Amino acid sequence: MTASATTNPVLPSRRLGVIGSIVGVLALIAAVLPHWVIPAIYPPPPADKVIVDTGHRLKDRLIARVKGVEYQAPPREKSTGSQLRETSSIGAISLGLLAILFSVLALVFREERLLAGVAAALGTGAIAIEISFLAMGVLMLIVILYVVANIIGLF
């Protein structure tokens, strides 16, 4: 037998799956890390300050309504921490979608399915984590509004 008679197995390409997996890991990092690291570096304002500021804004709004004047909210600057959290949230969702895109492209070009599945799982996980943090924030807001309304006597 000659060397040309033997067949060499052709390995499927892994390029898009590897790129998608790397992007998926970055998306997961962008989704999880800022919720732990940014509050440690840029701590949020104390709860009593937030409550007092909110009370002043509500009082000003009620006074404006009683006077029949349109309420003009004073411009508030976003803190560095909140800007970083928003940016990381957008980045996590964008990178998650990009990882899913690379996963789909890897399947279209018949690359290895395992890496395509890993990329899709990482991208989907990053998006799910961002949605879960959003849902937790909405639930906390609902609870706070319910408690405040209960204290005021609306219920």
Side-chain angles (χ1 to χ4, degrees):
M1 286 188 21
T2 63
S4 62
T6 61
T7 58
N8 293 330
V10 177
L11 295 174
S13 174
R14 297 179 172 180
R15 185 176 337 164
L16 292 173
V18 169
I19 293 171
S21 296
I22 291 170
V23 171
V25 167
L26 291 175
L28 208 54
I29 289 171
V32 172
L33 217 53
H35 297 286
W36 291 330
V37 175
I38 291 176
I41 297 172
Y42 300 104
D48 57 347
K49 182 181 182 308
V50 172
I51 292 170
V52 168
D53 289 344
T54 304
H56 286 301
R57 278 186 274 139
L58 283 173
K59 181 183 76 169
D60 293 341
R61 188 175 297 235
L62 288 173
I63 290 172
R65 178 172 285 180
V66 168
K67 289 181 178 179
V69 179
E70 185 177 338
Y71 175 71
Q72 296 291 328
R76 289 191 310 168
E77 289 187 26
K78 290 186 178 181
S79 67
T80 306
S82 65
Q83 288 176 347
L84 286 173
R85 274 191 291 278
E86 287 178 6
T87 304
S88 68
S89 177
I90 292 169
I93 292 174
S94 300
L95 288 172
L97 290 172
L98 192 61
I100 293 170
L101 173 71
F102 277 119
S103 171
V104 169
L105 290 175
L107 290 175
V108 166
F109 290 115
R110 299 177 189 256
E111 291 190 1
E112 189 173 326
R113 290 179 184 254
L114 177 64
L115 286 173
V118 167
L122 288 170
T124 305
I127 293 170
I129 287 172
E130 279 302 315
I131 291 172
S132 69
F133 277 115
L134 176 69
M136 284 188 287
V138 168
L139 286 175
M140 287 174 37
L141 179 66
I142 290 171
V143 168
I144 290 170
L145 289 175
Y146 180 75
V147 169
V148 169
N150 220 2
I151 290 172
I152 293 174
L154 293 178
F155 291 120

